[in-house]
């Protein structure tokens, strides 16, 4: 459910007087959202919006994977609850949730995991939570989205043979000496308000570079700097 794939749905929402649009993937574990104006909110916001709503009622630890937007981390900090990351993958998120006793978790692809329902991504519980949030606060989904911190992501992929991976990761980590380092899944480097993740594909001779920052320019710069180091 990406913006490119949902252009027809966006047109349907405009002028329909719908309060919100929900778009699932075929197996219904991911949810993208469209606001009342027909604007694509997207997948990354789904978990952050649901987390904000749940923590207003029931506080507890929050878990996301290491490639998810830091919006959810910021929401957890806003409510003063513990936050932790897992490796990418639904099962890894669920395992970390069980370990820390999380009240909610998920992935930035629109996958929300609510432990009272089950330790799987579930787009239907995400829909229910968003409708409940709108009703509880008497606010449209666009206003709820505006309340969240705003970040921009950038993504690249670079050809790389697996035998080169260790040297490349060491070179990237050494270059960014001021970063907080995590090797939970690939190499993630964090700074206040931004991060970059370098992960090898399990199926192709490539590495994927994902970054997030407060501006598109900074997110792109981080990706490009890492891409140059991999060179």
């Amino acid at each position: 459910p990406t913006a490119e794939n949902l252009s027809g749905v966006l047109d349907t929402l405009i002028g329909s007087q719908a309060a919100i649009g929900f778009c699932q993937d075929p197996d219904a574990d991911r949810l993208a959202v469209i606001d009342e104006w027909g604007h694509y909110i997207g997948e990354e916001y789904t978990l952050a919006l649901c987390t904000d709503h749940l923590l207003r009622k029931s506080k507890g630890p929050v878990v996301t994977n290491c490639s998810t937007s830091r919006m959810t981390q910021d929401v957890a900090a806003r409510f003063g609850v513990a936050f932790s990351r897992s490796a990418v993958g639904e099962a890894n998120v669920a395992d970390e949730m069980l370990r820390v006793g999380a009240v909610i978790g998920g992935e930035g692809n629109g996958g929300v995991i609510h432990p009272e329902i089950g330790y799987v991504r579930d787009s239907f519980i995400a829909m229910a939570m968003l409708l409940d949030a709108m009703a509880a606060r008497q606010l449209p989904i666009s206003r709820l989205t505006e309340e969240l911190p705003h970040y921009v992501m950038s993504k690249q992929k670079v050809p790389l043979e697996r035998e080169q991976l260790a040297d490349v990761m060491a070179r990237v980590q050494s270059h960014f000496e001021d970063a907080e380092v995590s090797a939970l899944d690939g190499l993630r480097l964090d700074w206040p308000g931004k991060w970059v993740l370098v992960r090898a594909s399990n199926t192709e001779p490539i590495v994927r570079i994902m970054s997030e920052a407060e501006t598109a320019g900074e997110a792109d710069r981080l990706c490009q700097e890492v891409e140059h180091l991999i060179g």
Side-chain angles (χ1 to χ4, degrees):
T2 63
E4 294 76 18
N5 292 336
L6 297 176
S7 58
V9 183
L10 297 178
D11 292 340
T12 300
L13 261 288
I14 297 172
S16 69
Q17 298 185 334
I20 191 170
F22 294 129
C23 301
Q24 302 160 287
D25 64 338
D27 60 348
D29 63 355
R30 294 166 54 185
L31 179 69
V33 179
I34 301 171
D35 73 14
E36 71 276 14
W37 303 108
H39 299 144
Y40 177 78
I41 295 174
E43 300 174 296
E44 285 290 345
Y45 281 86
T46 302
L47 178 58
L49 286 163
C50 289
T51 299
D52 179 87
H53 177 56
L54 186 140
L55 293 180
R56 290 174 185 274
K57 302 188 298 180
S58 177
K59 291 184 173 59
V62 175
V63 175
T64 73
N65 74 20
C66 61
S67 67
T68 293
S69 170
R70 65 171 293 139
M71 284 190 291
T72 302
Q73 178 183 355
D74 287 357
V75 169
R78 183 184 293 173
F79 286 93
V81 302
F83 171 83
S84 58
R85 296 190 186 95
S86 75
V88 172
E90 178 181 34
N92 295 321
V93 177
D95 284 347
E96 180 66 9
M97 290 177 67
L98 286 164
R99 188 185 74 82
V100 301
V103 297
I104 192 169
E107 301 188 284
N109 58 12
V112 175
I113 302 174
H114 193 318
E116 291 187 8
I117 306 301
Y119 284 91
V120 294
R121 298 179 307 197
D122 185 338
S123 63
F124 293 98
I125 188 60
M127 293 181 200
M129 292 177 75
L130 294 178
L131 292 172
D132 192 41
M134 293 162 63
R137 301 188 61 202
Q138 290 294 292
L139 290 174
I141 191 66
S142 61
R143 284 282 305 281
L144 297 179
T145 303
E146 287 172 2
E147 292 180 352
L148 294 176
H150 179 70
Y151 296 100
V152 182
M153 280 189 168
S154 182
K155 300 178 183 180
Q156 300 288 340
K157 58 183 179 181
V158 180
L160 187 74
E161 297 299 328
R162 186 160 292 275
E163 56 267 23
Q164 300 173 280
L165 185 61
D167 288 343
V168 163
M169 292 296 197
R171 185 159 66 245
V172 172
Q173 181 174 339
S174 176
H175 178 78
F176 294 104
E177 293 181 333
D178 59 337
E180 178 185 336
V181 178
S182 169
L184 179 65
D185 189 352
L187 176 66
R188 178 172 164 135
L189 304 168
D190 274 84
W191 301 266
K194 60 184 179 181
W195 56 270
V196 64
L197 174 68
V198 187
R199 293 180 67 241
S201 169
N202 292 324
T203 57
E204 303 174 79
I206 63 171
V207 291
R208 303 184 190 279
I209 308 168
M210 175 184 292
S211 66
E212 185 177 52
E214 294 174 348
T215 66
E218 180 62 10
D220 288 342
R221 187 197 66 77
L222 274 173
C223 268
Q224 291 163 7
E225 191 168 352
V226 172
E227 186 175 2
H228 177 73
L229 289 167
I230 293 173

